[in-house]
Amino acid sequence: MTDQNLFEMVKQHLCSCSTDLVMDRNVEAVLKMPRREMHASIPVRMDDGKIRAFQGFRVQYNDALGPTKGGIRFHPDETIDTIRGLAALMTWKCALHNLPLGGAKGGIVCNPKDLSEHELERLSRAYVQVMFPYLGPDRDIPAPDVYTNPAVMAWMMDEYSKIAGKTSFGSFTGKPVGLGGSEGRLDATARGGWYIVREAARDIGMNISGAGVAVQGFGNVGSHAALIGQEVFGARVVAVSDSRGGVYNPDGLAVHELVSHKAATGSVQHFPGATNITNEELIELPVEILVPAALENVISSRNAPQVRAGIVAEFANGPVDNDADEILFEKGTTVLPDFLTNGGGVIVSYFEMVQNFNMDQWDEGKVHRKLEKKMTDAYREVHDLASQNNVPLRKAAYSIAVARVVEAMRKRGWV
Ligand code: NAD
């Protein structure tokens, strides 16, 4: 882990592409600040009858391209700067994937593992009560992120609907199927990420069938990354981890059984036939593909030289810090940047909104086909620009995304 601040890292990337875009300093200054941010004190009655105050945030980074969109994270170490950085990344992500949406992110400083289900529900509803004036299908549409899930989105959508006095499925995405949710949303981030890995592997002549893969994180994104990698793309998943540590078997892990093992024991560790490893050891394993799918800043100048994977696919947001980015580029490692690689979640969230607005329900095959096209189109565009200018994929992705946001701001007369 490093101490690099995610928001500062994102701003540095923005500056590094502004020369290529010949961007006016004042325009750059606009893009380096969130358009609007809300800080809230959220009182919640706990099961013991006492009131506890939680701290919550919502950052609406830029809405030039449309209503803002981005997840809500529940985490004990949440900070406003991480949320700002994540909200900026959402802005570039929606622009890069050509969605008519701006970027936002929210969070509550809390440890959901210490809360009962009823407390979690009251906290989720209380967040909506305080943020209500700033949310809505044509303002800002939240979705799940770290330690939030479809159940939390259902409570939040319900609370929003109660206050609005009408059912508003389009106010939140990542809802359960049967309650306005889309088929294919649950594994969309991981599936979309694998489409990008497949394209990149083709370009560097790597065969992903049988390739060794290590996945850090075994939540929504990480567990589906391991399952889809193994079942759809034929990769050999040799290591996975969660917040307590990881497991490694060079011959491959039975991922389905690992899911049951984690559900039964609360951790992936002590999986029969595998060796326990630390999260730090996982990063340095001899694998072809490394998939950080947990938190930010896990690859820094300290461990980047030891990374042995040919592809580092950022399924998480911000897992490679800026120093590590340079080291990996020099080494010839292909780093697949977060806002390109993990865009599948917001793409299918957008599909969910389209279905909600049209009172429609698409089948899973349709969602997968449309997702695959959007992901591969974005990859090709980024790859072509990166090859043309001999720059890292991340820099090319920033150039494309930022140019689209600037163009929208210009057309709206903001700059
Ligand atoms: P999640 O809460 O479902 O899972 C998080 C996982 O990370 C858990 O397995 C947890 O044990 C693990 N973890 C927590 N702290 C850790 C640590 N210090 N070291 C190693 N593992 C640790 O969250 P998620 O939705 O899977 O999100 C994971 C990442 O993907 C985040 O960066 C998130 O912003 C990003 N992301 C998520 C989505 C989405 O649709 N859920 C979309 C785009 C990006």
Side-chain angles (χ1 to χ4, degrees):
M1 292 279 269
T2 94
D3 298 331
Q4 284 197 0
N5 171 312
L6 183 70
F7 189 36
E8 293 304 322
M9 281 166 42
V10 171
K11 284 192 285 187
Q12 276 172 25
H13 286 302
L14 174 70
C15 295
S16 81
C17 77
S18 60
T19 330
D20 301 352
L21 292 174
V22 202
M23 189 158 55
D24 185 290
R25 286 278 155 218
N26 294 322
V27 177
E28 187 184 308
V30 173
L31 290 176
K32 281 162 87 175
M33 254 191 298
R35 185 150 164 81
R36 185 184 295 116
E37 61 183 45
M38 280 68 70
H39 295 233
S41 154
I42 308 172
V44 175
R45 192 169 299 282
M46 307 303 280
D47 289 346
D48 62 7
K50 294 192 179 126
I51 293 286
R52 191 170 143 197
F54 292 86
Q55 192 182 11
F57 312 109
R58 185 77 186 164
V59 175
Q60 296 169 344
Y61 200 82
N62 185 295
D63 59 357
L65 282 166
T68 51
K69 177 111 196 71
I72 297 178
R73 187 178 270 205
F74 289 177
H75 200 276
D77 302 327
E78 207 47 86
T79 70
I80 185 63
D81 262 0
T82 306
I83 297 292
R84 285 177 184 137
L86 293 166
L89 283 175
M90 281 305 300
T91 306
W92 317 138
K93 194 184 302 184
C94 292
L96 181 66
H97 289 281
N98 264 320
L99 302 176
L101 296 164
K105 203 80 178 188
I108 301 180
V109 184
C110 69
N111 187 352
K113 292 178 187 169
D114 293 343
L115 301 175
S116 73
E117 200 184 342
H118 288 305
E119 288 169 340
L120 207 54
E121 177 174 351
R122 287 195 289 274
L123 178 62
S124 304
R125 290 183 183 277
Y127 181 85
V128 176
Q129 287 156 20
V130 67
M131 296 294 178
F132 180 83
Y134 312 102
L135 301 177
D138 50 9
R139 287 198 185 97
D140 180 13
I141 311 98
D145 195 76
V146 173
Y147 296 148
T148 54
N149 56 27
V152 171
M153 292 305 114
W155 293 324
M156 289 187 165
M157 179 279 294
D158 181 68
E159 193 63 28
Y160 181 91
S161 298
K162 278 182 179 153
I163 301 171
K166 57 182 180 185
T167 294
S168 180
F169 280 162
S171 56
F172 285 80
T173 62
K175 304 178 294 293
V177 174
L179 197 67
S182 176
E183 296 288 353
R185 172 62 183 89
L186 207 56
D187 67 14
T189 305
R191 187 176 295 273
W194 272 104
Y195 291 137
I196 302 286
V197 173
R198 180 192 64 192
E199 297 301 303
R202 230 180 244 158
D203 283 339
I204 61 168
M206 178 194 285
N207 185 1
I208 55 176
S209 171
V213 179
V215 181
Q216 185 183 57
F218 206 64
N220 179 328
V221 178
S223 66
H224 287 114
L227 280 168
I228 291 172
Q230 189 171 74
E231 290 176 358
V232 181
F233 293 90
R236 184 170 39 95
V237 178
V238 298
V240 302
S241 67
D242 57 29
S243 58
R244 298 189 197 170
V247 281
Y248 176 51
N249 181 343
D251 297 327
L253 298 162
V255 181
H256 259 296
E257 287 167 31
L258 246 176
V259 172
S260 314
H261 175 78
K262 175 154 168 106
T265 67
S267 167
V268 294
Q269 288 223 300
H270 307 292
F271 183 59
T275 311
N276 283 345
I277 54 168
T278 63
N279 264 299
E280 291 71 31
E281 286 167 334
L282 181 139
I283 300 289
E284 300 175 14
L285 286 174
V287 289
E288 275 83 38
I289 302 165
L290 176 62
V291 179
L295 295 175
E296 52 281 352
N297 290 347
V298 293
I299 304 178
S300 66
S301 56
R302 280 198 287 273
N303 57 3
Q306 285 80 258
V307 168
R308 292 193 256 176
I311 292 179
V312 175
E314 293 187 323
F315 282 39
N317 284 308
V320 175
D321 81 10
N322 291 7
D323 296 338
D325 222 15
E326 280 179 30
I327 295 169
L328 293 173
F329 185 65
E330 292 299 317
K331 271 172 57 155
T333 310
T334 299
V335 177
L336 301 176
D338 45 14
F339 67 98
L340 167 66
T341 311
N342 67 27
V346 72
I347 289 171
V348 177
S349 272
Y350 164 69
F351 294 163
E352 183 175 332
M353 290 171 67
V354 172
Q355 292 168 74
N356 292 157
F357 293 148
N358 292 322
M359 305 277 278
D360 200 358
Q361 186 80 53
W362 301 350
D363 63 38
E364 200 175 50
K366 178 169 176 173
V367 172
H368 289 173
R369 281 192 302 279
K370 288 176 81 73
L371 172 65
E372 182 172 9
K373 175 155 181 14
K374 272 214 155 299
M375 296 302 296
T376 48
D377 284 355
Y379 173 80
R380 281 288 137 225
E381 210 175 344
V382 171
H383 173 265
D384 292 352
L385 185 65
S387 311
Q388 207 178 304
N389 295 350
N390 193 25
V391 294
L393 292 167
R394 192 186 315 276
K395 190 166 180 188
Y398 263 90
S399 297
I400 295 167
V402 172
R404 281 186 189 145
V405 175
V406 171
E407 183 60 7
M409 293 200 305
R410 198 186 57 73
K411 283 182 179 154
R412 291 178 80 139
W414 295 359
V415 292

